[in-house]
Amino acid sequence: MYRPSRTARLIRFSLLVAIAVLSALIALLAFSSAQAQTSPARGAITAEGDMPMPDFLALLQQIAPAAAEGAKVYLGAFRLQCGRTLSTAELRHALAREGGDSVLMGLIRASQQQDLAARNQLVRQIRCPAGAAR
């Protein structure tokens, strides 16, 4: 019986996360492109197309539950570390830029593997933008 190596599993997981993130981004672009669209929970979407965070996380939860859990941990840790909340656009950027923010991607992986030690280590690695730290 063939058992995939750890590297093969990591590559497979990374590809699944990348696909989930791309799917989420495509859905967001389609969702925010309509002019008269509304969010059932929050009313009209802003002119900038920034989806409310609860709606974005709910969508991410449907597509990739581990990605949603990792993102929630990232958001909470960022708020505690930096003293402010990330916007949906900032979170989307962290997911999409150059393969994703390494801490965020690590938190998604730790959520998938239910690795509490890795999660705690990654939370300590969150860096605030210049001038945003407490």
Side-chain angles (χ1 to χ4, degrees), residues 5-75:
S5 70
R6 181 180 167 127
T7 303
R9 287 186 305 207
L10 183 60
I11 290 170
R12 182 172 177 247
F13 175 73
S14 298
L15 289 172
L16 290 173
V17 168
I19 290 168
V21 168
L22 288 174
S23 297
L25 291 174
I26 291 168
L28 287 174
L29 289 173
F31 184 76
S32 64
S33 64
Q35 295 294 329
Q37 221 164 5
T38 62
S39 163
R42 308 284 183 288
I45 295 175
T46 62
E48 298 84 37
D50 198 13
M51 173 185 270
M53 186 64 75
D55 293 346
F56 178 77
L57 291 174
L59 178 62
L60 198 54
Q61 180 72 35
Q62 291 177 2
I63 296 169
E69 291 306 311
K72 288 175 189 175
V73 171
Y74 184 81
L75 289 168

Side-chain angles (χ1 to χ4, degrees), residues 11 46 76 84 101 103 111 119:
I11 290 170
T46 62
R84 71 174 184 88
D101 178 277
V103 174
S111 291
R119 186 185 93 173

Side-chain angles (χ1 to χ4, degrees), residues 1 4 17 44 48 53 66 68 75 79 82 106 112 115:
M1 182 161 137
V17 168
E48 298 84 37
M53 186 64 75
L75 289 168
R79 184 176 51 247
C82 303
Q112 165 68 20
D115 187 345

